[in-house]
Each structure stands twice: as C-alpha cells, then as structure tokens.
Amino acid sequence: MTKQEAVNQFRRVYPEDFITILNLVKLKNGYLIRADFPDGEFYFIVNRNYVSNSL
C-alpha cells in the first residue's frame, strides 16, 4: 500500500474538508495516520481492508 492509497482509504471514511492529515507512518501492513479534527488530534490505522476507530 502506498501513502496515497492510505490517504484515499482514510478519505473514504472521513471525507470532510475540515479534517487535516498531519502525518503518516509506515507500518508492517499499512499506515498510522495522525489527523487533526476540530476537537483534537486522533490516530488511525489504515490498510487495504479497514480504517480503525481513533486510537
């Protein structure tokens, strides 16, 4: 999975313009995404099969 594929997968679940992706970290089977929401920063694990709930 590429970074762009991870971003696209995340945006399918969270398409809102006010959500900013701050950082992507490569994991063994996907990416850890740090995103800025109006109520704080949250972390998500993204791979080809799912986008986790915030960590």
Side-chain angles (χ1 to χ4, degrees):
M1 170 175 251
T2 66
K3 283 185 177 184
Q4 188 58 50
E5 289 171 332
V7 169
N8 291 345
Q9 183 82 339
F10 179 80
R11 288 293 181 195
R12 283 187 194 108
V13 178
Y14 299 102
E16 295 85 356
D17 290 336
F18 57 82
I19 299 170
T20 304
I21 295 174
L22 302 172
N23 192 10
L24 284 97
V25 176
K26 178 74 173 140
L27 302 174
K28 183 178 179 181
N29 294 319
Y31 283 87
L32 176 68
I33 292 181
R34 180 170 61 112
D36 185 42
F37 284 68
D39 55 342
E41 289 183 10
F42 297 91
Y43 294 83
F44 301 85
I45 295 174
V46 178
N47 71 20
R48 293 188 192 282
N49 300 316
Y50 68 88
V51 176
S52 72
N53 293 332
S54 64
L55 303 174

